[in-house]
Amino acid sequence: MAKGDFPVLIGVGQAMSQWDGKKDPAGAPSPLSLMADASKAALADTGAPGIAAAIDALAVVRIFEDSVPGDHHPHGHNTNLPGTLARETGTNPGYLVYETVGGQSPQALVNEFARRIHDGEFEAVLISGSEANRASKGARKHGVEINWADQDARDYEDRGLGPMMLSRPEIKHGLVTPAYFYGLFENAIAAREGRSRSGQRKAMAELFQPFSAVAAKNPYSQFPQEHSVEFLSTPSRENYEYADPFLKWFIAQDAVNQGAAAILVSSSKADELGVPESKRVYLHGGGEAGDDHISVRPVLDRSWAMDTAVSRALAQAGKTSAEIHHLDLYSCFPCAVFSGAAALGLDWKTDKRPLTLTGGLPFFGGPGNNYSLHGIAEMVARLRENPGHSGLVLANGGWMTKEAAGVYSTTKPAKFTPAEKGAKPTSQVGIATETCEATLETFTVTHGKDGPERGIIFARLADGRRAIANNADAATLAVLREDASPVGRKVAITVDGEQGTFTFV
């Protein structure tokens, strides 16, 4: 293995199934079958007959069922997804890995194995992932038995769940799902922009409407339907409220059966396999960064981790944002796209470049940790169609907690520099734990089947510390849900043990 060789993507593949429990269970997909289909497509996409035998490392993006502590496996447990994928694809890698939790994983794996190929550790790597939540939900709903249990004797590296992304005070106040965290970001952005509740929903709809148009034309989209700005911004039975200011179609949809895969090799191995230059897409720059728990972040209306990862990737590629032709920004919620655009220094209202190649997580689909591998697959296809162009993929994990970015082109770079990673923000906000008065900084209102359930707020004290509090009182929820933003209003916070309750002053 030659040290110092250029890493290059030579094959990509995707798979999608609409099976939802209403048809013959024999046609039901599993996480393994979707990965296998996508991986076989990626191997075939290389056009190299010897590629399967050349794979010496295999990495699998962690699935939902293995991403939550104590999660169950209702259809049986595949105890070795990397090993069973190697079996299904006819590959025999000496190194297998099951990646840690987070939507940054696909791009982070490309960054990692690009470095390891450059260091001479590997020559050919298969990266794959999938989700079959649509099949799982459908089977349980319709009482259909499907079996995902499988095993393999090969050793693999299990990287586990990674660091806890929630703090005890956050959990104690009900911040336990992504939509609640992202609702805090979204309302912080609305306040910065001076938007009312309806104004923010209109802005989110204007941002996401073109995403739905892209998804409508993508053959791998789980929800291929274009929506209007009016539909997206208006509560309805088909677009119900979930956590203010979000309606259903502002949120990543996880009821998907989708898989994706990519083949990354050394340039010398690509030469040996006879892969033509027209198939090759190079990683020109990579960047990664991780942020603190949301409650201690100084700024909530953009993402420090996104800013850092994107700037690192662009700097390594020697590119400015204006020189990037194609973009796939992570789009689990509108605020993630607003923050990604801010990291790139572009105005989403006037910039003519589409911000997604897939159609985005609400419309293309949100296959758990693996979405950005679809973004990478689409990027490779787009760059092959436009030789010499550059593209950027931004992958996001947690609540803008873990970020990975990659800059790609068909043009071979003058040199390869491994992705810059690590580092944490140097400043934190202190958390107040006493009864106090403060100024409302941002908020969300959670919803259930019967309507609004709980308001959760962050508020700033005069000394700069932040307080976390909630309230389920109907009158308080009504104030939070008025069209005019309540951000900036004074609140009184009463603390009982670890629980803070707020009222408007």
Side-chain angles (χ1 to χ4, degrees), residues 186-311:
E186 205 73 59
N187 280 316
I189 291 172
R192 182 195 69 202
E193 298 296 319
R195 295 184 190 129
S196 65
R197 186 160 165 266
S198 59
Q200 184 64 13
R201 283 182 173 171
K202 183 179 180 184
M204 294 189 293
E206 290 172 344
L207 176 75
F208 266 4
Q209 195 285 324
F211 282 59
S212 74
V214 172
K217 298 176 182 178
N218 188 329
Y220 296 105
S221 289
Q222 200 77 61
F223 312 102
Q225 180 180 353
E226 183 172 358
H227 297 291
S228 67
V229 168
E230 182 179 5
F231 171 82
L232 291 172
S233 60
T234 306
S236 65
R237 184 175 181 180
E238 294 76 26
N239 196 29
Y240 50 82
E241 293 182 295
Y242 187 84
D244 281 356
F246 301 129
L247 307 176
K248 173 185 176 179
W249 289 104
F250 289 137
I251 299 175
Q253 300 298 310
D254 65 2
V256 302
N257 301 322
Q258 293 174 314
I263 310 291
L264 184 69
V265 304
S266 66
S267 292
S268 57
K269 177 57 71 171
D271 292 340
E272 179 186 320
L273 293 168
V275 178
E277 285 293 333
S278 61
K279 287 280 187 182
R280 304 187 192 195
V281 173
Y282 296 89
L283 180 67
H284 279 236
E288 298 175 30
D291 212 336
D292 287 315
H293 292 138
I294 179 178
S295 57
V296 300
R297 296 181 199 175
V299 175
L300 297 176
D301 60 0
R302 67 183 296 160
S303 168
W304 176 90
M306 281 188 180
D307 291 348
T308 304
V310 167
S311 64

Side-chain angles (χ1 to χ4, degrees), residues 21 33 37 50 107 122 142 145 201 220 223 256 274 279 289 338 341 415 417 419 431 474 495:
S33 74
D37 288 347
Q107 183 60 53
F122 302 111
H142 297 286
E145 292 292 329
R201 283 182 173 171
Y220 296 105
F223 312 102
V256 302
K279 287 280 187 182
F338 290 137
K415 66 174 183 176
T417 303
I431 301 298
V495 176

